[in-house]
Amino acid sequence: MSVGEFAGFTLGPRDAGQGGPSGLWRVQLGQEWHARLRTRTEAEVAAKNQGSTRADAAFEVPLTLPCMHRGWTFKLTGRIDQLVTVFDLHTSDGGHRPDVSVVIREIKTVSGPLPADESALRTDYPDYFLQAIAYLALLRSAPRRSDSRPAPEAAADPEAILPLDLGATAGSALKAELVFVEIGTGITQSVALGADDEMSFHAQLERLAEFLDLQVRARDRLRGLQFHPAFAALRPGQETIQEDLLAAFSCGTPGTLQTIGSPESFSAPPSRRASTTVFFEAPTGYGKTGVLLEFALGRLRAGRFGRLLYLTSKSTGQLQVMRTLAAMCAPRGDAGSPQAGSAGTESVSAAERFPGPSAGGAPTPVAAWQVRPKAEHCVNSVFHCVRDACPYLADLESRWTHGGLARFYLFDNQPHDLEALRAAGRDAQLCPYEITRAALPFNDVWIGDYNYVFSPDNRGLFFDRPGFNPEQTLLVVDEAHNLPSRVADACSHVARSGDAEFVLAELHRVRAMSPLLLAWEQWTRLLAGLRHTDALDLAVEDDARDAIDRLAALVAGTPLDYAALGPGVSEILWKTLALRDWLAGDFDFASNPKLKTPNSKFQTPNSKLIVQNPELRTLNPELRTLNPELRTLNSEPRTQNSPPPVPTLLWCPRAGELRFTCLDAAALIGRTLRAFGGVILASATLQPADVFAASCGLDEATAEPARPDPIAPPAALGKLSRRSRKAMRGLTSGAELLRVEEAEESAGPRLLLAAAPWRDNAYAVGVDTRVDTTFQHRMQFYAATAATVDALQGAAQTAAGRRSSTVDGSRTAPLAERPSASVIAVFFPSYAYADNIIKALKTAGSALRVALQPRGADLAVQAAWVEDSLLQADALFLVLGSSFAESIDLLGGRVTHAMVVGPALPEVNAIQHSRMAELERTGLGRTAAFRRVYQIPGMQKVNQALGRLVRAPGQQARVLLHCRRFAEPSYATLLSGEYRHGALIRNDDELTRWLGASFPAGNL
Ligand code: SF4
């Protein structure tokens, strides 16, 4: 681990400062101060090279050394900022080496004012002190070349050699100091490290050892994991899915997962496996959650992965995962056992038949944690996470200890639903989010939103947890068709002149310093002067960049009373830092070490800059030999860390509003996905798979071409000439070639289509070519559309009557008993379109009761609205792409007639224009670009909406695709297979006949 990770490691919360702002600009500013201090040290060294002393300085000295504690060996790597060596030539008389003293200097930039009280610095920046003292302790205990003692076992590693040859007595001359630099002014303050700091180093080692012991316990728990299959009886199509998933991952002999607790024979070391991505397409109602959890638990137990991340954007989906896990892991004989009952529909999965406890409400043999947003954890009167505004941030370490909150990771049986966390936080007077943060490393399954992996603002919660290693993690992303747009949104920002004016007034109110006031005034003027434009003028863009650069530096370096400013204003001020990073193209990928895969072409910079006094090099070769690093490291090449290109757009959709839009997050997604050991992207609509792969950045070459390892020539060949040995260096084996081929093959994504034979013939589809719903022509057809809605509802009513009169209908009678049996669903591309059809219905004198979906409602309100409307309306008017059309599963089996009013192509605006232009720039033709930007997203919304009408065997739906475009091949081929070959309806008679026809294989 790096010394930085070592210093930053904590099991619970730590009392630290507010934490300085981070980002590329901060790194650059830090580098600037490092460079200035280097110049100062060089001058200091030159001054010492007079009279009886000689001095030398090395900068950014790389170090890898072992450190042993309680049976664990920690190999720490780091880079010492400055190593100043002073040689006292007086002591070199009589043939003895001169006395040498070495000072380790760590340079840290801080945003608070300097000079500061040393104890305050220790409280605010404990990591910095630990880092410096770690270097000192490592150097002290390291084996030395001149040391006659036997080298410790770990020193057998060639890296574990101290680069300095200081002599046997030199250990006592080692010192460490921290040099703080106030980032805004450059004022410095040096703090020498002492005995207390050394004690804190040992306390940190103790924490690490405790953590590792707990990790061993967690690994043992996983090896003995017991779980039931997700389904007691399999639905048609599920019979081979576990084997299919295993085969898709190319990882082992399939067929052992159905047995509870059976040991699995898969044992190849993870490091030999290529990262594998599987696209898993399964229809709504297939039982994806259970299937994927069963597969993932098997892989965890087999040791293939150490952790599962299950991401889904809706809290209801996350709760479903928790319930399924609880039911699958419930002990035999419990009410939660899925042995009783029957499968056949998703509603009879283990979780739903035996709902068991609420999320986190009971122990499960697999430790799982559902992560909710920080705001939902909040117990303060206002959600404003600064010390002066929140009493729950004070004195964290002692409150954590006195509150006994370590129980959340020490014991497996602690309820940890949100209410339990909030109650524990209130009791301990400590922010409940700290409990989630501390407990995550001890859980095998993390369940949460996409943001915790893909958003630059939120991913720290997962990626910064100790022990989290993406390479050993299986990542499951549910509803993955939303991933590209969700990540692009997370990487986009907006600035509004109204907000800027408000902030300016608030800055005046709290009497902020004048440089910040002036800079914010200029920013406000700039925003106020913006007019609508699809792309910002270059001169204005330059002004915006200058303004943001200045503001970001000022916000970071200016002390402000954020408690008095309040959360809204603070948020806008801090946003300037994100805007600066956005403008610099830094999306947190370049700076996040856990996203740097070993094979990535974007490697970590490995520059080793050693600068020494040139005089020493030429005039005193003896001294030079004391530091071998000086000889070798200057010549090492520097490799560049090139961030992936992310197309962006600066534009103004209206006056006074500046949008920072990420046009395509593919490169960011691809880079993130490649960091994981295994990835499953699951959805009902992933096709066309090549386009989905491209939108996830998985279509490009991911790594350096793999090379087979050479093998030694057979001994039978005897002694070979030098030339022959050279020629045979490329010799390899068939097994090696096969391994490389398999590695390359598995590096690309694979598509696994789940079989669902119960959906065959479940839809009767008609394509209504009488109307044109394009924006230019739809108005001419409003009356026809209204009449069609009326006619479809009439057909639904007739079918419901037919079903209710069926005497023997084990399947149909329950459906017909429901009052919703004749309610139809009509999907529109926009609210405006739906409004116009409601007006047309009124104009035509229709008696139809229409319920239009409410805007901006949360999931609970949406569900309640659906239930109400199914009872009270004749037609539900829903908008394609909204959560009503994509997340509400209440319509399956309850709405048998539906209509889609045109493909829901995205709105034509500056973003889509720019996306088209960007694709064309990269070589795609206009037709292909149009398909990518408009047609595929539009038809995906149609497929998503229709998929939810049939969620279980026995359900059927009659669907009218109401626009002639659905008959065009470019649209028709984008429909899912079940809806692709609908009957063409060319006139009113054909519509009447189609509506009255009996369903091919059922009761409609
Ligand atoms: S620190 Fe925690 S309790 Fe305080 S405001 Fe933030 S979320 Fe709320």
Side-chain angles (χ1 to χ4, degrees):
M1 73 193 305
S2 73
V3 171
E5 284 170 326
F6 169 82
F9 175 82
T10 172
L11 280 177
R14 181 178 283 177
D15 292 317
Q18 305 283 11
S22 58
L24 186 62
W25 69 273
R26 173 70 188 251
V27 173
Q28 288 167 343
L29 212 53
Q31 284 169 348
E32 211 171 293
W33 287 121
H34 273 66
R36 289 198 202 178
L37 288 177
R38 190 168 96 184
T39 309
R40 200 164 87 181
T41 300
E42 282 166 355
E44 180 193 321
V45 163
K48 283 196 191 301
N49 279 318
Q50 320 270 343
S52 61
T53 55
R54 286 289 181 272
D56 188 12
F59 301 90
E60 296 191 39
V61 181
L63 192 72
T64 301
L65 285 168
C67 174
M68 279 164 273
H69 186 76
R70 279 218 286 121
W72 291 97
T73 301
F74 305 99
K75 192 161 142 188
L76 299 178
T77 63
R79 204 175 286 268
I80 299 172
D81 287 338
Q82 295 188 356
L83 203 58
V84 179
T85 315
V86 180
F87 308 89
D88 185 348
L89 299 182
H90 273 134
T91 58
S92 64
D93 296 345
H96 290 105
R97 284 166 172 250
D99 276 354
V100 182
S101 63
V102 178
V103 180
I104 296 162
R105 276 188 194 149
E106 275 299 289
I107 298 162
K108 297 294 177 192
T109 49
V110 294
S111 46
L114 292 178
D117 185 64
E118 275 191 28
S119 60
L121 289 173
R122 280 193 160 76
T123 306
D124 283 350
Y125 306 103
D127 298 13
Y128 296 168
F129 283 85
L130 268 171
Q131 214 168 320
I133 202 70
Y135 284 129
L136 183 65
L138 285 173
L139 288 187
R140 275 201 178 138
S141 62
R144 302 206 162 80
R145 291 192 178 93
S146 58
D147 203 334
S148 56
R149 287 170 296 156
E153 196 184 313
D157 182 345
E159 284 183 289
I161 297 292
L162 181 67
L164 301 169
D165 188 358
L166 301 171
T169 58
S172 58
L174 277 169
K175 293 180 203 154
E177 64 184 39
L178 264 172
V179 182
F180 288 97
V181 185
E182 190 183 309
I183 201 154
T185 61
I187 294 171
T188 60
Q189 180 178 357
S190 295
V191 180
L193 273 70
D196 285 353
D197 298 302
E198 300 217 20
M199 279 172 63
S200 67
F201 172 71
H202 289 285
Q204 187 72 345
L205 283 175
E206 190 59 31
R207 276 188 209 111
L208 265 168
E210 183 192 350
F211 171 75
L212 291 170
D213 289 341
L214 289 167
Q215 294 286 297
V216 170
R217 186 187 77 171
R219 196 197 56 195
D220 292 344
R221 181 182 58 214
L222 273 185
R223 292 298 172 274
L225 182 61
Q226 303 278 310
F227 63 94
H228 306 286
F231 303 98
L234 297 175
R235 176 181 297 181
Q238 286 180 339
E239 300 87 347
T240 61
I241 192 61
Q242 295 300 327
E243 288 86 343
D244 295 341
L245 279 165
L246 277 167
F249 267 88
S250 303
C251 54
T253 311
T256 58
L257 287 177
Q258 297 297 328
T259 312
I260 296 172
S262 70
E264 295 185 82
S265 57
F266 196 69
S267 60
S271 58
R272 298 290 290 171
R273 303 176 179 289
S275 163
T276 307
T277 302
V278 173
F279 296 169
F280 179 45
E281 187 177 274
T284 310
Y286 176 84
K288 273 196 298 290
T289 307
V291 161
L292 289 174
L293 286 175
E294 186 172 323
F295 174 75
L297 292 185
R299 297 299 85 212
L300 291 180
R301 183 173 60 193
R304 170 66 179 90
F305 298 107
R307 180 167 283 127
L308 166 68
L309 261 59
Y310 198 111
L311 306 184
T312 170
S313 57
K314 294 280 182 299
S315 61
T316 46
Q318 294 162 15
L319 286 170
Q320 165 78 3
V321 176
M322 289 298 281
R323 282 197 302 268
T324 307
L325 275 176
M328 288 175 70
C329 297
R332 267 185 190 281
D334 267 24
S337 167
Q339 298 309 305
S342 63
T345 69
E346 192 170 41
S347 61
V348 291
S349 68
E352 288 169 329
R353 276 179 292 116
F354 307 105
S358 61
T364 58
V366 63
W369 198 279
Q370 183 197 356
V371 181
R372 295 302 303 155
K374 191 174 189 183
E376 292 182 19
H377 288 71
C378 189
V379 287
N380 194 20
S381 52
V382 53
F383 177 48
H384 191 23
C385 309
V386 295
R387 272 192 196 166
D388 292 341
C390 176
Y392 297 92
L393 280 175
D395 206 9
L396 291 174
E397 282 178 58
S398 82
R399 288 181 186 181
W400 177 269
T401 309
H402 289 123
L405 297 176
R407 67 181 185 272
F408 283 98
Y409 60 76
L410 287 176
F411 307 116
D412 295 336
N413 60 352
Q414 291 296 305
H416 51 263
D417 54 297
L418 258 186
E419 263 328 297
L421 296 183
R422 286 158 56 88
R426 261 191 227 101
D427 288 349
Q429 289 290 293
L430 178 141
C431 173
Y433 200 60
E434 296 297 339
I435 304 173
T436 289
R437 221 197 287 263
L440 274 179
F442 305 96
N443 280 269
D444 313 312
V445 183
W446 298 355
I447 299 151
D449 188 84
Y450 302 159
N451 283 342
Y452 296 113
V453 170
F454 295 97
S455 163
D457 293 343
N458 303 97
R459 70 155 57 93
L461 179 68
F462 280 8
F463 280 78
D464 294 346
R465 286 316 90 210
F468 173 63
N469 181 355
E471 279 182 68
Q472 290 168 11
T473 300
L474 173 62
L475 173 69
V476 173
V477 182
D478 201 7
E479 300 297 339
H481 62 280
N482 289 323
L483 188 63
S485 59
R486 279 288 309 274
V487 181
D489 287 348
C491 296
S492 300
H493 305 283
V494 59
R496 297 188 177 90
S497 66
D499 293 342
E501 277 166 28
F502 181 65
V503 172
L504 185 61
E506 288 294 289
L507 288 175
H508 276 294
R509 184 177 65 78
V510 299
R511 298 179 188 282
M513 289 165 78
S514 53
L516 179 60
L517 280 172
L518 286 173
W520 198 272
E521 239 172 61
Q522 189 202 0
W523 175 236
T524 308
R525 270 200 307 275
L526 189 150
L527 287 174
L530 293 176
R531 297 288 163 261
H532 167 85
T533 174
D534 282 358
L536 213 58
D537 179 78
L538 276 183
V540 183
E541 181 177 332
D542 272 354
D543 290 348
R545 282 177 188 275
D546 286 349
I548 287 290
D549 279 358
R550 202 164 28 253
L551 275 178
L554 283 165
V555 167
T558 307
L560 273 172
D561 186 350
Y562 285 109
L565 286 168
V569 173
S570 304
E571 184 79 11
I572 295 171
L573 285 166
W574 292 330
K575 178 71 87 182
T576 54
L577 309 177
L579 296 183
R580 176 168 169 158
D581 288 347
W582 188 96
L583 288 167
D586 175 27
F587 292 89
D588 188 40
F589 286 75
S591 51
N592 195 324
K594 287 186 180 169
L595 289 174
K596 294 183 177 84
T597 52
N599 287 332
S600 170
K601 54 188 169 183
F602 309 113
Q603 290 288 338
T604 316
N606 193 27
S607 57
K608 296 177 177 178
L609 301 178
I610 300 289
V611 178
Q612 72 273 39
N613 185 335
E615 250 182 279
L616 278 180
R617 197 164 27 185
T618 50
L619 298 180
N620 196 339
E622 191 198 333
L623 292 181
R624 222 173 87 215
T625 60
L626 292 174
N627 192 342
E629 283 292 309
L630 302 181
R631 290 198 309 261
T632 55
L633 296 177
N634 266 345
S635 56
E636 292 211 356
R638 179 196 288 261
T639 55
Q640 276 299 313
N641 183 9
S642 320
V646 178
T648 54
L649 176 70
L650 268 178
W651 64 298
C652 305
R654 55 191 66 82
E657 182 173 312
L658 183 55
R659 294 234 166 214
F660 301 70
T661 301
C662 168
L663 291 172
D664 183 356
L668 307 178
I669 298 170
R671 192 157 189 221
T672 305
L673 294 179
R674 279 195 284 274
F676 285 87
V679 175
I680 301 179
L681 301 177
S683 168
T685 52
L686 293 178
Q687 299 195 64
D690 57 336
V691 175
F692 180 66
S695 63
C696 291
L698 296 171
D699 57 334
E700 37 180 82
T702 56
E704 295 293 316
R707 289 176 191 282
D709 290 339
I711 57 163
L717 290 179
K719 198 166 179 206
L720 297 172
S721 68
R722 201 169 156 193
R723 198 168 155 199
S724 306
R725 281 204 312 272
K726 196 172 168 193
M728 294 192 78
R729 255 180 224 152
L731 196 68
T732 187
S733 66
E736 262 303 301
L737 286 172
L738 191 63
R739 182 187 69 74
V740 168
E741 196 181 316
E742 282 175 356
E744 282 174 354
E745 204 175 278
S746 63
R750 298 172 182 187
L751 175 65
L752 176 59
L753 298 172
W758 44 273
R759 284 172 68 85
D760 295 345
N761 301 320
Y763 290 86
V765 178
V767 182
D768 191 352
T769 60
R770 301 170 305 143
V771 294
D772 181 351
T773 62
T774 53
F775 191 75
Q776 301 90 324
H777 300 116
R778 62 178 61 157
M779 199 187 291
Q780 303 163 34
F781 298 96
Y782 284 164
T785 301
T788 310
V789 171
D790 235 342
L792 185 71
Q793 202 279 330
Q797 210 158 15
T798 308
R802 255 201 319 263
R803 287 196 301 277
S804 64
S805 64
T806 308
V807 187
D808 113 35
S810 57
R811 230 171 21 180
T812 57
L815 191 66
E817 279 162 22
R818 292 185 198 123
S820 58
S822 62
V823 181
I824 64 167
V826 187
F827 297 96
F828 289 91
S830 65
Y831 276 99
Y833 204 157
D835 280 336
N836 282 319
I837 300 306
I838 291 173
K839 282 182 201 147
L841 280 165
K842 281 187 186 146
T843 307
S846 167
L848 223 55
R849 293 166 299 169
V850 172
L852 174 63
Q853 74 172 53
R855 288 176 160 89
D858 65 25
L859 269 178
V861 174
Q862 290 171 18
W865 176 84
V866 171
E867 290 295 350
D868 270 6
S869 304
L870 284 173
L871 290 172
Q872 292 167 16
D874 300 312
L876 309 186
F877 277 20
L878 306 166
V879 176
L880 287 165
S882 68
S883 34
F884 282 90
E886 293 206 16
S887 303
I888 296 281
D889 290 331
L890 300 168
L891 303 182
R894 300 169 76 183
V895 168
T896 57
H897 287 63
M899 175 169 159
V900 182
V901 184
L905 302 194
E907 180 194 1
V908 177
N909 62 17
I911 298 177
Q912 315 307 347
H913 281 313
S914 301
R915 283 187 178 142
M916 287 276 294
E918 180 65 22
L919 288 172
E920 289 180 57
R921 191 188 62 75
T922 57
L924 228 58
R926 189 154 183 80
T927 307
F930 180 78
R931 178 176 151 87
R932 182 86 67 91
V933 172
Y934 288 98
Q935 289 180 307
I936 291 174
M939 294 303 288
Q940 195 173 60
K941 291 176 197 162
V942 172
N943 290 328
Q944 274 288 329
L946 294 182
R948 293 184 143 70
L949 297 177
V950 172
R951 302 189 68 248
Q955 295 177 355
Q956 292 174 328
R958 183 176 290 279
V959 172
L960 185 66
L961 301 175
H962 183 68
C963 179
R964 60 186 57 147
R965 279 178 291 171
F966 286 117
E968 293 172 17
S970 62
Y971 288 90
T973 51
L974 292 174
L975 283 165
S976 293
E978 303 98 310
Y979 331 124
R980 203 171 286 165
H981 304 290
L984 275 191
I985 295 167
R986 284 158 293 217
N987 52 49
D988 294 353
D989 288 345
E990 285 184 355
L991 176 67
T992 308
R993 273 202 297 281
W994 179 79
L995 287 173
S998 58
F999 204 82
N1003 52 13
L1004 293 181

